[in-house]
Amino acid sequence: MTDTEIAAVRALLAAGERPADLAGRRARLDGLTARYDMPADVVVEPVDADGVKAEWTSTPAADPTRVILFLHGGGYVAGSIRSHRHMLAQAGREAGTRTLALDYRLAPENPFPAALEDALTGYRFLLAQGFLPQNIVLAGESAGGGLAIATLVSLRDAGTPLPACAWCASPWVDLEMSGATMESKAAVDPLIQRSYLQELATAYLNGADPRNPLVSPIHADLEGMPPLLIQVGSDETLLDDAIRLAGVAASADVRTSLQVWPQMIHAWHLFYAQLGDGRRSLAEMGAFVRAVLG
């Protein structure tokens, strides 16, 4: 049952404390998913995306003309291609697309706007490779979800053709942490707390205004954005980020689907191999992408 499965994931997370040092934190996040084997039919291919380290994945079900461009989570200071590889491969399988994951530059070594610059480079790399905008899905998890929205806003403002749709999983879109669930869900969220997010935000912002729409797209004008799928767990301190993002998008006449998954925790998709709701949420994402792409 789902409650037993998510309890096992919670136990896994509780078994190791978050290290104090940056290198340890990065290694811990990569290690959380190292236990999951990559299916034998997944093809993995490193690529230089015009100066940004990246990686293709594909399965026999992938339409080679369609792609998910993925921006990983990790609070802008951790996370990598490695930490999200298995989950993204499954997302591509469900959507029937190839995937391109970006290893964008991380803070504090490379604060804002480095990650955004890399995301824009990755998107333009796909266009240069011949992918049509209507066959591209922009996706991100946690900080990567906020980065995905900031990328859409930047592309629109630059007059660049937008992708067909976007998928945001547990998006972090408010670096002021002003959402009510920062407090109301603190007791049930095993991963993300205000004090930790404040530390991450300080590293990424490096003095930038936290209300800048390109770091906190909860403040962005989302007019003209493509269809948006937002998935969030009910046990996340970031629940209010997702709900408010959906409201901002809907108010801008954006076709918006908000899914709140009961009992799910931050980044539950990463644990899909042992979590039924992880598999189901990826299947829902795949159905959304297939419906939009046609």
Side-chain angles (χ1 to χ4, degrees):
M1 295 178 62
T2 300
D3 58 346
T4 302
E5 291 175 345
I6 196 63
V9 172
R10 285 178 172 276
L12 170 67
L13 295 171
E17 294 184 4
R18 181 181 287 120
D21 65 294
L22 182 57
R25 289 178 177 180
R26 289 173 174 171
R28 177 177 181 262
L29 182 50
D30 283 352
L32 279 177
T33 58
R35 71 191 70 243
Y36 303 126
D37 294 330
M38 184 69 78
D41 65 346
V42 176
V43 177
V44 179
E45 180 186 1
V47 63
D48 182 331
D50 290 340
V52 181
K53 183 180 177 183
E55 184 176 271
W56 296 107
T57 68
S58 62
T59 69
D63 181 334
T65 69
R66 296 178 171 183
V67 61
I68 296 174
L69 176 62
F70 184 74
L71 306 170
H72 65 74
Y76 296 108
V77 305
S80 68
I81 287 172
R82 295 180 299 280
S83 61
H84 290 68
R85 179 183 287 138
H86 72 295
M87 184 275 288
L88 183 56
Q90 183 64 19
R93 187 190 303 277
E94 293 289 356
T97 69
R98 300 174 72 187
T99 73
L100 181 68
L102 295 185
D103 229 353
Y104 59 84
R105 288 170 291 168
L106 299 176
E109 300 93 331
N110 299 282
F112 173 77
L116 178 58
E117 292 170 347
D118 288 354
L120 291 168
T121 296
Y123 184 76
R124 291 173 177 137
F125 168 78
L126 288 177
L127 296 180
Q129 292 295 304
F131 285 93
L132 300 176
Q134 58 264 35
N135 287 334
I136 301 174
V137 179
L138 184 58
E141 179 217 67
S142 192
L147 183 57
I149 301 298
T151 301
L152 289 174
V153 171
S154 297
L155 291 170
R156 179 202 61 195
D157 291 351
T160 305
L162 296 178
C165 60
W167 165 47
C168 295
S170 302
W172 184 26
V173 293
D174 175 14
L175 270 63
E176 288 186 302
M177 283 70 74
S178 64
T181 52
M182 278 292 148
E183 303 299 334
S184 64
K185 295 293 183 177
V188 294
D189 189 326
L191 277 175
I192 303 296
Q193 303 293 323
R194 182 191 296 274
S195 60
Y196 180 56
L197 287 176
Q198 186 60 63
E199 183 180 343
L200 301 179
T202 298
Y204 181 57
L205 290 170
N206 193 35
D209 183 357
R211 294 180 65 84
N212 182 333
L214 297 182
V215 296
S216 294
I218 196 71
H219 301 298
D221 171 12
L222 300 185
E223 182 179 359
M225 295 296 104
L228 179 62
L229 171 64
I230 304 168
Q231 294 181 319
V232 66
S234 67
D235 283 357
E236 298 195 48
T237 56
L238 291 180
L239 172 60
D240 204 41
D241 278 45
I243 292 172
R244 288 182 296 155
L245 176 62
V248 170
S251 295
D253 292 323
V254 177
R255 177 181 152 193
T256 306
S257 299
L258 172 65
Q259 297 181 352
V260 180
W261 288 74
Q263 302 181 48
M264 291 301 102
I265 62 174
H266 189 68
W268 79 96
H269 302 77
L270 287 177
F271 307 100
Y272 82 89
Q274 66 182 92
L275 190 59
D277 274 353
R279 295 188 291 277
R280 285 183 282 274
S281 59
L282 290 174
E284 291 275 358
M285 177 280 306
F288 167 79
V289 169
R290 290 175 187 269
V292 172
L293 270 53

